[in-house]
Amino acid sequence: MQYLVNAFQHTFSPINLKSVTEKEIHEINNSLKWKKSYGYDEVLSWIVKLSMPFISPPLIYICNKMLSTGTFPTRLKCSQVSPMFEKRNKTEMSAYRLVSLLTSFSKIFEKVIYNRLLQHSKENNIIIRDQYGFLNNSSTELAIFKLTNQILSHINNKSSVCGIFCSLTKAFDTVNHDILISKLEYYGITGRSGELIKSYLSKWYQRVTIKTLRVSNCSSAWELIKHGVPQGSILGPLLFLFYINDLPQLVKDIALPILFADDTSFIISNSNPMNMSQDVKLVLEITQKWFKSNIMLLNYDKTTFMQFSSNVSYRSLVNTQSIDYKINLTNSTKFLGIILESSLTWKKHIDHINPKLNSLGYMLRSLRPVLSLKIIKQIYFSYVHSVLNYGIIFWGNSSYSRTIFITQKRIVRIIMKAKARDSCRTMFSKLGILTLYSQYIFSTLMFVVKHKDLHLMLNCIK
């Protein structure tokens, strides 16, 4: 708690638990996705959505009863976990990603609590601005923009700049309930609201379900979850933001923190390169003590350190050997799906996505003879466009992006069944597809319009 007191040296007003209205229930119902997945109760979300006009009165009554008594329904605190294979060896546990499925009704009750916690946070400015995960008007692109903008600003000012990119081990699963509740109480979530969060976190049960070729569902016994926030829940990510909220405040005087949920990064700048090692050491010391006090584990094997410069052949001036913590010195690292390089040329990121696009082009070549042009276009926008568009505002103007444009033209020729030497100008127009450079301009303009307040603030600073 001492870290929390040091980070926020003022008190917060108590939360106000407003009653649930019919309008709110219908808004929550509309926000639910039309999914075919279901929890242990096997009730599909679309059945709940269609039934809402008939079940809303008793549902409103139960939700208000939950708020007035501070008790979360016990039967809704059960999650069903299914391992999903991602990569590498199928015999290794690390090759699987766990997908947690909750009941559809649980999401409605959680959303009711979520709305009140989020409103309380906004009214009291609790969640810091350096956090970009799981919040409205925040995105990975905004976090990447802030990071790259700070790096380039320091380089332009002739200052040495470096970054520490932390990797946490099972961050959501290691949240300590007692510490979380004490932090929420400090933020003004006390009384019935505090009891409600305690009720929500306590006596959660989980089982693992595996689907095989022989058996449709093979499930383990139900086991009690003693720590962590429920995976796949609506309320869990927001509770984690409250949990980690005080960490960035502790280092803001010596580093710029940038967080996206548990992805924690620090940008450190110093006009004197000789003092950079001490700054890096101090940031790591503070963060490690915080992680230890909050029972979280920093994975040093995956935590990386990188010094940025506009010169590709620039040598790092920071002596990492003098740092007591074993962090990896690297020239590139993955940050929110974008590969960052010390020189910010974006070459490695482009080299990373180009093979993906080539594979998708091969897939489209195989599907083109048997599918209509309309379906092929849908596949293009679902797969190719998503790869092309992500982070394009950062790497789209790189000199290395020409290789991506060549690959895009090859894919367009495949869609239109054209020859390798045929011009693509009219093909892009007929398909309604923007060229790479047009997409870069369009995405950049959309980003500026969406975040015009941010750009006005940067202009005032300059």
Side-chain angles (χ1 to χ4, degrees):
M1 283 298 294
Q2 188 60 43
Y3 287 109
L4 191 61
V5 174
N6 293 336
F8 301 95
Q9 298 179 357
H10 62 277
T11 58
F12 297 91
S13 61
I15 189 173
N16 180 22
L17 292 180
K18 296 181 179 179
S19 299
V20 181
T21 62
E22 184 177 1
K23 180 182 178 181
E24 182 183 4
I25 284 293
H26 285 292
E27 287 176 350
I28 293 173
N29 181 57
N30 292 333
S31 67
L32 294 177
K33 297 180 180 179
W34 295 83
K35 286 187 175 181
K36 294 183 179 180
S37 57
Y38 49 82
Y40 80 97
D41 60 353
E42 299 185 359
V43 178
L44 300 170
S45 61
W46 64 266
I47 294 179
V48 176
K49 290 176 70 69
L50 293 176
S51 305
M52 190 54 64
F54 309 100
I55 64 174
S56 60
L59 198 58
I60 294 170
Y61 174 80
I62 298 172
C63 286
N64 283 322
K65 197 71 175 177
M66 173 188 70
L67 296 176
S68 62
T69 60
T71 304
F72 192 85
T74 304
R75 295 297 296 270
L76 300 182
K77 295 190 289 185
C78 297
S79 61
Q80 194 163 267
V81 178
S82 299
M84 302 292 291
F85 177 71
E86 281 193 318
K87 53 185 176 180
R88 302 188 189 97
N89 190 351
K90 287 188 175 182
T91 60
E92 296 180 0
M93 291 184 63
S94 59
Y96 294 85
R97 177 172 59 91
L98 298 180
V99 177
S100 182
L101 298 175
L102 307 180
T103 65
S104 299
F105 286 105
S106 173
K107 294 179 180 179
I108 295 175
F109 283 81
E110 286 187 46
K111 190 67 174 179
V112 168
I113 305 173
Y114 176 92
N115 290 341
R116 282 143 187 80
L117 289 182
L118 187 61
Q119 184 62 31
H120 176 69
S121 174
K122 289 179 179 179
E123 291 175 352
N124 293 270
N125 296 319
I126 295 176
I127 297 179
I128 58 170
R129 293 182 178 181
D130 300 314
Q131 177 62 258
Y132 295 91
F134 306 116
L135 295 173
N136 295 331
N137 301 321
S138 292
S139 63
T140 55
E141 282 193 336
L142 193 58
I144 298 169
F145 170 79
K146 184 173 182 180
L147 182 134
T148 54
N149 182 70
Q150 286 295 321
I151 293 170
L152 292 173
S153 296
H154 289 307
I155 291 175
N156 290 336
N157 293 331
K158 308 299 181 182
S159 297
S160 299
V161 56
C162 64
I164 302 174
F165 301 88
C166 301
S167 176
L168 302 179
T169 302
K170 302 293 183 182
F172 282 74
D173 295 330
T174 56
V175 171
N176 182 274
H177 292 171
D178 293 333
I179 296 176
L180 174 59
I181 290 170
S182 64
K183 289 188 177 186
L184 292 174
E185 288 176 350
Y186 185 85
Y187 290 136
I189 303 170
T190 57
R192 280 177 299 152
S193 59
E195 293 297 323
L196 180 57
I197 298 299
K198 289 180 184 178
S199 175
Y200 172 77
L201 292 172
S202 64
K203 296 183 180 179
W204 261 93
Y205 285 89
Q206 176 179 289
R207 71 177 180 183
V208 178
T209 301
I210 300 176
K211 294 182 179 180
T212 64
L213 295 175
R214 296 181 180 180
V215 184
S216 58
N217 280 313
C218 182
S219 301
S220 68
W222 290 101
E223 295 291 342
L224 180 67
I225 301 175
K226 298 180 181 179
H227 48 75
V229 292
Q231 296 280 2
S233 64
I234 291 177
L235 194 54
L238 182 60
L239 292 177
F240 182 83
L241 297 189
F242 281 112
Y243 193 81
I244 202 172
N245 193 53
D246 55 307
L247 170 60
Q249 296 292 92
L250 302 174
V251 298
K252 64 179 182 180
D253 292 334
I254 53 177
L256 172 71
I258 299 174
L259 288 79
F260 192 92
D262 59 326
D263 285 315
T264 307
S265 306
F266 303 99
I267 299 300
I268 305 169
S269 175
N270 198 309
S271 56
N272 186 353
M274 303 307 294
N275 295 332
M276 184 73 78
S277 297
Q278 293 300 319
D279 291 340
V280 173
K281 185 177 180 180
L282 183 58
V283 170
L284 283 171
E285 182 180 345
I286 293 172
T287 54
Q288 175 58 14
K289 286 182 179 179
W290 186 93
F291 288 134
K292 187 176 181 180
S293 299
N294 289 272
I295 316 179
M296 301 190 81
L297 183 61
L298 181 63
N299 188 341
Y300 286 104
D301 292 333
K302 294 183 179 180
T303 298
T304 58
F305 168 83
M306 184 163 57
Q307 187 158 355
F308 298 94
S309 171
S310 58
N311 189 349
V312 178
S313 60
Y314 179 80
R315 287 188 176 182
S316 174
L317 296 176
V318 177
N319 182 15
T320 55
Q321 299 297 326
S322 64
I323 302 173
D324 298 334
Y325 304 97
K326 297 179 181 179
I327 57 175
N328 299 311
L329 178 63
T330 182
N331 290 323
S332 64
T333 189
K334 200 165 189 179
F335 177 71
L336 300 179
I338 293 286
I339 298 179
L340 288 173
E341 298 170 74
S342 57
S343 57
L344 293 180
T345 61
W346 306 108
K347 182 179 184 301
K348 289 191 176 181
H349 179 73
I350 291 169
D351 291 342
H352 174 70
I353 65 174
N354 198 44
K356 291 184 178 180
L357 295 173
N358 283 321
S359 299
L360 291 170
Y362 177 79
M363 179 188 71
L364 289 172
R365 186 186 298 275
S366 302
L367 295 174
R368 187 64 184 95
V370 295
L371 295 177
S372 65
L373 180 60
K374 181 180 179 181
I375 301 298
I376 291 293
K377 280 180 60 178
Q378 291 177 351
I379 295 174
Y380 173 90
F381 282 107
S382 298
Y383 293 93
V384 179
H385 179 76
S386 61
V387 174
L388 274 173
N389 194 48
Y390 184 71
I392 194 173
I393 62 174
F394 308 108
W395 57 265
N397 65 338
S398 170
S399 59
Y400 300 100
S401 63
R402 178 170 172 77
T403 57
I404 302 296
F405 183 45
I406 293 172
T407 303
Q408 185 193 26
K409 289 194 293 184
R410 187 184 303 119
I411 293 173
V412 168
R413 289 190 182 100
I414 290 171
I415 294 175
M416 296 299 290
K417 297 182 179 179
K419 296 180 180 179
R421 298 285 183 178
D422 290 349
S423 174
C424 292
R425 291 184 179 180
T426 57
M427 298 181 194
F428 277 101
S429 179
K430 289 180 180 178
L431 291 172
I433 296 173
L434 292 175
T435 65
L436 177 72
Y437 301 115
S438 297
Q439 185 65 51
Y440 163 71
I441 295 171
F442 177 76
S443 297
T444 303
L445 289 174
M446 291 298 295
F447 182 83
V448 172
V449 170
K450 187 177 180 181
H451 305 288
K452 55 185 177 182
D453 294 338
L454 175 64
H455 289 80
L456 289 172
M457 181 182 69
L458 291 175
N459 290 330
C460 291
I461 294 173
K462 292 178 181 179

